[in-house]
mmCIF file of all heavy atoms in Angstrom:
data_model
loop_
_atom_site.group_PDB
_atom_site.id
_atom_site.type_symbol
_atom_site.label_atom_id
_atom_site.label_comp_id
_atom_site.label_asym_id
_atom_site.label_seq_id
_atom_site.Cartn_x
_atom_site.Cartn_y
_atom_site.Cartn_z
ATOM 1 N N VAL I 21 5.208 31.656 9.057
ATOM 2 C CA VAL I 21 6.406 30.863 9.261
ATOM 3 C C VAL I 21 6.149 29.430 8.830
ATOM 4 O O VAL I 21 5.194 28.797 9.287
ATOM 5 C CB VAL I 21 6.841 30.898 10.743
ATOM 6 C CG1 VAL I 21 8.087 30.041 10.934
ATOM 7 C CG2 VAL I 21 7.082 32.335 11.186
ATOM 8 N N LEU I 22 6.978 28.893 7.940
ATOM 9 C CA LEU I 22 6.807 27.539 7.447
ATOM 10 C C LEU I 22 7.445 26.543 8.413
ATOM 11 O O LEU I 22 8.500 26.810 8.994
ATOM 12 C CB LEU I 22 7.449 27.391 6.066
ATOM 13 C CG LEU I 22 6.951 28.328 4.966
ATOM 14 C CD1 LEU I 22 7.654 27.997 3.653
ATOM 15 C CD2 LEU I 22 5.452 28.251 4.800
ATOM 16 N N GLU I 23 6.783 25.406 8.588
ATOM 17 C CA GLU I 23 7.373 24.334 9.374
ATOM 18 C C GLU I 23 8.649 23.848 8.679
ATOM 19 O O GLU I 23 8.830 24.026 7.464
ATOM 20 C CB GLU I 23 6.382 23.177 9.503
ATOM 21 C CG GLU I 23 5.107 23.524 10.272
ATOM 22 C CD GLU I 23 5.376 23.731 11.754
ATOM 23 O OE1 GLU I 23 6.430 23.224 12.225
ATOM 24 O OE2 GLU I 23 4.573 24.400 12.421
ATOM 25 N N ASN I 24 9.546 23.231 9.455
ATOM 26 C CA ASN I 24 10.829 22.802 8.894
ATOM 27 C C ASN I 24 10.662 21.905 7.679
ATOM 28 O O ASN I 24 11.331 22.068 6.657
ATOM 29 C CB ASN I 24 11.636 22.078 9.974
ATOM 30 C CG ASN I 24 12.090 23.021 11.073
ATOM 31 O OD1 ASN I 24 12.193 24.227 10.847
ATOM 32 N ND2 ASN I 24 12.355 22.474 12.251
ATOM 33 N N GLU I 25 9.727 20.929 7.785
ATOM 34 C CA GLU I 25 9.523 19.992 6.685
ATOM 35 C C GLU I 25 9.010 20.711 5.446
ATOM 36 O O GLU I 25 9.428 20.444 4.314
ATOM 37 C CB GLU I 25 8.553 18.877 7.102
ATOM 38 C CG GLU I 25 9.078 17.946 8.165
ATOM 39 C CD GLU I 25 8.870 18.517 9.574
ATOM 40 O OE1 GLU I 25 8.447 19.680 9.682
ATOM 41 O OE2 GLU I 25 9.142 17.779 10.542
ATOM 42 N N LEU I 26 8.075 21.642 5.644
ATOM 43 C CA LEU I 26 7.511 22.374 4.517
ATOM 44 C C LEU I 26 8.543 23.317 3.920
ATOM 45 O O LEU I 26 8.626 23.457 2.689
ATOM 46 C CB LEU I 26 6.270 23.151 4.966
ATOM 47 C CG LEU I 26 5.513 23.926 3.888
ATOM 48 C CD1 LEU I 26 5.107 23.008 2.744
ATOM 49 C CD2 LEU I 26 4.289 24.621 4.483
ATOM 50 N N GLN I 27 9.341 23.961 4.764
ATOM 51 C CA GLN I 27 10.373 24.862 4.266
ATOM 52 C C GLN I 27 11.396 24.107 3.426
ATOM 53 O O GLN I 27 11.824 24.578 2.364
ATOM 54 C CB GLN I 27 11.074 25.543 5.445
ATOM 55 C CG GLN I 27 12.088 26.601 5.020
ATOM 56 C CD GLN I 27 11.431 27.801 4.354
ATOM 57 O OE1 GLN I 27 10.652 28.509 4.989
ATOM 58 N NE2 GLN I 27 11.740 28.030 3.089
ATOM 59 N N SER I 28 11.761 22.920 3.885
ATOM 60 C CA SER I 28 12.715 22.105 3.135
ATOM 61 C C SER I 28 12.145 21.710 1.785
ATOM 62 O O SER I 28 12.842 21.709 0.764
ATOM 63 C CB SER I 28 13.084 20.847 3.931
ATOM 64 O OG SER I 28 13.708 21.199 5.148
ATOM 65 N N TRP I 29 10.856 21.366 1.776
ATOM 66 C CA TRP I 29 10.201 20.976 0.520
ATOM 67 C C TRP I 29 10.154 22.155 -0.452
ATOM 68 O O TRP I 29 10.423 22.021 -1.647
ATOM 69 C CB TRP I 29 8.804 20.464 0.832
ATOM 70 C CG TRP I 29 8.013 20.069 -0.373
ATOM 71 C CD1 TRP I 29 8.075 18.893 -1.059
ATOM 72 C CD2 TRP I 29 7.014 20.864 -1.042
ATOM 73 N NE1 TRP I 29 7.189 18.898 -2.098
ATOM 74 C CE2 TRP I 29 6.533 20.089 -2.120
ATOM 75 C CE3 TRP I 29 6.490 22.126 -0.824
ATOM 76 C CZ2 TRP I 29 5.549 20.556 -2.971
ATOM 77 C CZ3 TRP I 29 5.506 22.598 -1.686
ATOM 78 C CH2 TRP I 29 5.058 21.813 -2.743
ATOM 79 N N VAL I 30 9.824 23.345 0.052
ATOM 80 C CA VAL I 30 9.758 24.541 -0.794
ATOM 81 C C VAL I 30 11.134 24.877 -1.358
ATOM 82 O O VAL I 30 11.275 25.232 -2.536
ATOM 83 C CB VAL I 30 9.190 25.732 0.006
ATOM 84 C CG1 VAL I 30 9.349 27.034 -0.780
ATOM 85 C CG2 VAL I 30 7.721 25.502 0.334
ATOM 86 N N ASP I 31 12.166 24.763 -0.530
ATOM 87 C CA ASP I 31 13.515 25.128 -0.967
ATOM 88 C C ASP I 31 14.122 24.127 -1.944
ATOM 89 O O ASP I 31 15.114 24.432 -2.618
ATOM 90 C CB ASP I 31 14.450 25.237 0.251
ATOM 91 C CG ASP I 31 14.070 26.406 1.157
ATOM 92 O OD1 ASP I 31 13.381 27.327 0.662
ATOM 93 O OD2 ASP I 31 14.445 26.388 2.335
ATOM 94 N N SER I 32 13.519 22.954 -2.037
ATOM 95 C CA SER I 32 14.127 21.903 -2.850
ATOM 96 C C SER I 32 13.968 22.109 -4.346
ATOM 97 O O SER I 32 14.735 21.570 -5.142
ATOM 98 C CB SER I 32 13.546 20.534 -2.464
ATOM 99 O OG SER I 32 12.155 20.478 -2.789
ATOM 100 N N SER I 33 12.952 22.891 -4.761
ATOM 101 C CA SER I 33 12.781 23.115 -6.205
ATOM 102 C C SER I 33 11.917 24.336 -6.463
ATOM 103 O O SER I 33 11.082 24.722 -5.630
ATOM 104 C CB SER I 33 12.149 21.894 -6.878
ATOM 105 O OG SER I 33 10.780 21.802 -6.557
ATOM 106 N N GLU I 34 12.112 24.940 -7.616
ATOM 107 C CA GLU I 34 11.307 26.094 -8.025
ATOM 108 C C GLU I 34 9.863 25.688 -8.282
ATOM 109 O O GLU I 34 8.932 26.448 -8.022
ATOM 110 C CB GLU I 34 11.914 26.717 -9.290
ATOM 111 C CG GLU I 34 11.202 27.979 -9.758
ATOM 112 C CD GLU I 34 11.882 28.616 -10.953
ATOM 113 O OE1 GLU I 34 13.057 28.273 -11.225
ATOM 114 O OE2 GLU I 34 11.242 29.455 -11.608
ATOM 115 N N LYS I 35 9.668 24.447 -8.769
ATOM 116 C CA LYS I 35 8.320 23.955 -9.025
ATOM 117 C C LYS I 35 7.508 23.900 -7.743
ATOM 118 O O LYS I 35 6.332 24.261 -7.713
ATOM 119 C CB LYS I 35 8.385 22.567 -9.662
ATOM 120 C CG LYS I 35 7.014 21.962 -9.950
ATOM 121 C CD LYS I 35 7.148 20.581 -10.555
ATOM 122 C CE LYS I 35 5.774 19.973 -10.810
ATOM 123 N NZ LYS I 35 5.872 18.594 -11.358
ATOM 124 N N ASN I 36 8.148 23.464 -6.645
ATOM 125 C CA ASN I 36 7.441 23.408 -5.367
ATOM 126 C C ASN I 36 7.064 24.800 -4.888
ATOM 127 O O ASN I 36 5.986 25.001 -4.321
ATOM 128 C CB ASN I 36 8.317 22.710 -4.324
ATOM 129 C CG ASN I 36 8.504 21.243 -4.619
ATOM 130 O OD1 ASN I 36 7.800 20.673 -5.453
ATOM 131 N ND2 ASN I 36 9.453 20.620 -3.955
ATOM 132 N N GLN I 37 7.903 25.775 -5.111
ATOM 133 C CA GLN I 37 7.598 27.158 -4.742
ATOM 134 C C GLN I 37 6.374 27.663 -5.508
ATOM 135 O O GLN I 37 5.499 28.327 -4.949
ATOM 136 C CB GLN I 37 8.807 28.053 -5.014
ATOM 137 C CG GLN I 37 10.035 27.715 -4.190
ATOM 138 C CD GLN I 37 11.262 28.493 -4.636
ATOM 139 O OE1 GLN I 37 11.160 29.517 -5.318
ATOM 140 N NE2 GLN I 37 12.442 27.993 -4.271
ATOM 141 N N GLU I 38 6.314 27.326 -6.806
ATOM 142 C CA GLU I 38 5.186 27.750 -7.628
ATOM 143 C C GLU I 38 3.899 27.082 -7.172
ATOM 144 O O GLU I 38 2.829 27.709 -7.153
ATOM 145 C CB GLU I 38 5.469 27.431 -9.100
ATOM 146 C CG GLU I 38 6.619 28.231 -9.681
ATOM 147 C CD GLU I 38 6.969 27.788 -11.096
ATOM 148 O OE1 GLU I 38 6.399 26.762 -11.549
ATOM 149 O OE2 GLU I 38 7.788 28.467 -11.746
ATOM 150 N N GLU I 39 3.983 25.798 -6.791
ATOM 151 C CA GLU I 39 2.786 25.084 -6.352
ATOM 152 C C GLU I 39 2.253 25.651 -5.048
ATOM 153 O O GLU I 39 1.039 25.809 -4.866
ATOM 154 C CB GLU I 39 3.086 23.594 -6.218
ATOM 155 C CG GLU I 39 3.285 22.894 -7.557
ATOM 156 C CD GLU I 39 3.436 21.393 -7.419
ATOM 157 O OE1 GLU I 39 3.686 20.928 -6.294
ATOM 158 O OE2 GLU I 39 3.296 20.703 -8.439
#
Side-chain angles (χ1 to χ4, degrees):
V21 179
L22 302 182
E23 296 290 339
N24 292 337
E25 293 84 353
L26 183 56
Q27 185 67 63
S28 298
W29 178 82
V30 170
D31 293 339
S32 65
S33 74
E34 183 176 344
K35 179 181 179 182
N36 292 347
Q37 297 172 18
E38 294 174 352
E39 289 186 344

